[in-house]
Amino acid sequence: MRRPVAGEVHVHYSQIYVQSDPDGTAPGLGEAFAGQSGGLCGAAVPGALWLVTGLHTGSVGFTVEVHDEAPPPTPDWEDVVEVSFRPVSEDTSLVQWGGEAAWDLELPVTDYRVRYSARGMDKGRDLDTRTAKEPRADSYLLQFWPAPPRPDQVIRQTSRNAAYRHDYARGLPAPPTPEQRAEAERLARQAKEQAAEDRRLHYERWQWGGRLPSEALRGARQSNVLGLLPFDSDLVHTLGAANPEVQHTVALLAARRACEAAGLTDLPWVAGALAALEAGRPLPPPFDDPAGPWETLRSDPRVPDTTVLEAVPPEHPPTSLHRPGRTIRTPSWKRSPAHRAPSTGSPSRTTRSPPCSPPPAPRRSWRHWTRCGTR
């Protein structure tokens, strides 16, 4: 026999527990005693014991013993109950209310019979709260030994407090069967997963302009497809559903318009790339290397010093979708055209001022962005 706990422990609300759940969750009072005939040691939830004391708050005498076989009962304990218990992990502890302190009981995972014996429960109940200067009112003995499971049993009843607790337990409904408990856990898990999926879909709809994207659009996230959604989400979804020929034609048009706005279409290496795109041929140098166009932009003296303003989404009515924690409204900014620099080479100073927005950031020329390594 060994004693992992001997001395005094502190109780609150007439409670102390044995827990073996690695997540540290404890059952409620009704769950712990459901279907039992005894109300001092609740064992209806697997892997947990709810132990009742007479004293409400303060220190009580408490001993835990682990035996190899059933110990003989002794007459000096006034109230005695027995329950069956099986830890759900290798980590079983006696735990004070609120996790204030814990003692490792070092119980292997097997079936145990547990005897909980009490002395002085009525005295502890009448005292209610024990201070450090007051003598001990009630004491408890918790004993474990290996045994197959069987129903709980009230061995001895003496105190009024124990009688009240037993009556309470006998009035509770029977606990769920293992099958019912497993089904309830499955349904709770399923509801949690469904709620997470609903939140994901809600966010994805918001992100994609109010509708779910096709798999083709999802696969194009590495491109600038999300950046196009604020301008015309219907167009983005329509292009996502179009055939490859239409998508190629629109991509070519967009590339040509971008080069025209930047003043690059007269450069031979840009014109050659646009012609190759239109003919469906492989892109010529420097476009055959991802870093090639940027290097050429920096090094070719024929590249014009042109400022192209950042594109601004058109004004849209407020959307009915909500991002978690806030309402999403499309900014009421207005489109501004691109500007060419004057012949002197100095950048254009035309500005755009969205209503109620911060001052616009300074614009830079193509050469500024390429010198800074912007892509």
Side-chain angles (χ1 to χ4, degrees):
M1 185 268 290
R2 59 184 179 87
R3 286 193 177 100
V5 180
E8 289 191 340
V9 300
H10 200 81
V11 298
H12 283 297
Y13 302 99
S14 304
Q15 300 166 23
I16 193 167
Y17 321 97
V18 170
Q19 296 179 357
S20 64
D21 187 340
D23 295 329
T25 56
L29 178 64
E31 293 177 287
F33 290 94
Q36 290 192 181
S37 61
L40 299 185
C41 181
V45 175
L49 297 176
W50 182 305
L51 307 170
V52 174
T53 64
L55 191 72
H56 181 278
T57 301
S59 295
V60 299
F62 208 99
T63 302
V64 178
E65 296 179 350
V66 181
H67 298 260
D68 294 329
E69 57 186 22
T74 56
D76 56 333
W77 294 99
E78 300 168 350
D79 295 286
V80 182
V81 297
E82 287 186 3
V83 299
S84 292
F85 172 75
R86 182 183 180 88
V88 296
S89 75
E90 298 286 346
D91 185 14
T92 302
S93 301
L94 179 71
V95 182
Q96 287 185 180
W97 184 88
E100 295 172 342
W103 294 263
D104 187 4
L105 302 184
E106 300 179 11
L107 293 179
V109 177
T110 189
D111 291 316
Y112 294 92
R113 193 64 176 173
V114 180
R115 182 182 298 155
Y116 185 49
S117 305
R119 182 172 53 241
M121 286 197 75
D122 285 343
K123 189 177 179 181
R125 175 67 176 175
D126 293 340
L127 180 60
D128 186 78
T129 301
R130 179 192 173 196
T131 64
K133 296 181 179 180
E134 293 177 295
R136 182 187 299 173
D138 45 344
S139 299
Y140 301 87
L141 174 63
L142 186 66
Q143 298 169 301
F144 295 82
W145 66 92
R150 63 180 188 270
D152 77 298
Q153 184 179 4
V154 176
I155 306 298
R156 185 180 305 139
Q157 176 189 312
T158 303
S159 68
R160 301 185 310 275
N161 195 359
Y164 169 80
R165 296 287 185 172
H166 297 331
D167 287 343
Y168 167 77
R170 291 162 189 165
L172 293 172
T177 65
E179 293 76 16
Q180 291 171 330
R181 195 185 301 276
E183 177 64 9
E185 292 173 353
R186 185 190 69 81
L187 292 176
R189 200 164 48 245
Q190 186 180 65
K192 184 177 180 180
E193 292 170 355
Q194 184 61 51
E197 178 65 9
D198 290 344
R199 289 193 298 270
R200 186 192 68 79
L201 292 176
H202 183 87
Y203 177 80
E204 190 174 31
R205 286 191 186 93
W206 169 82
Q207 191 179 39
W208 288 88
R211 72 174 83 171
L212 292 176
S214 64
E215 289 303 318
L217 283 176
R218 284 194 183 98
R221 287 179 64 98
Q222 298 302 319
S223 67
N224 193 34
V225 61
L226 293 179
L228 297 176
L229 287 167
F231 293 88
D232 194 332
S233 61
D234 289 338
L235 176 61
V236 170
H237 288 281
T238 300
L239 288 174
N243 61 52
E245 291 77 13
V246 171
Q247 292 173 345
H248 177 81
T249 300
V250 173
L252 175 61
L253 173 64
R256 187 174 294 279
R257 290 291 299 273
C259 291
E260 289 173 354
L264 300 176
T265 51
D266 293 335
L267 297 175
W269 52 277
V270 174
L274 292 174
L277 278 176
E278 190 166 7
R281 300 191 305 268
L283 288 174
F287 291 92
D288 55 348
D289 178 6
W294 298 101
E295 294 296 334
T296 308
L297 276 173
R298 280 192 286 266
S299 61
D300 191 343
R302 297 169 296 177
V303 173
D305 191 4
T306 304
T307 297
V308 179
L309 295 179
E310 178 186 359
V312 179
E315 184 174 354
H316 291 292
T319 177
S320 61
L321 288 178
H322 297 275
R323 191 175 184 178
R326 58 177 293 199
T327 301
I328 304 302
R329 295 181 182 273
T330 306
S332 56
W333 291 10
K334 299 184 182 300
R335 184 187 302 275
S336 298
H339 295 270
R340 286 294 295 266
S343 58
T344 58
S346 60
S348 168
R349 294 298 179 186
T350 304
T351 61
R352 52 184 171 84
S353 299
C356 303
S357 67
R363 300 179 307 280
R364 297 291 185 263
S365 68
W366 273 98
R367 292 191 187 281
H368 170 85
W369 295 121
T370 54
R371 282 197 301 272
C372 294
T374 304
R375 295 293 186 265

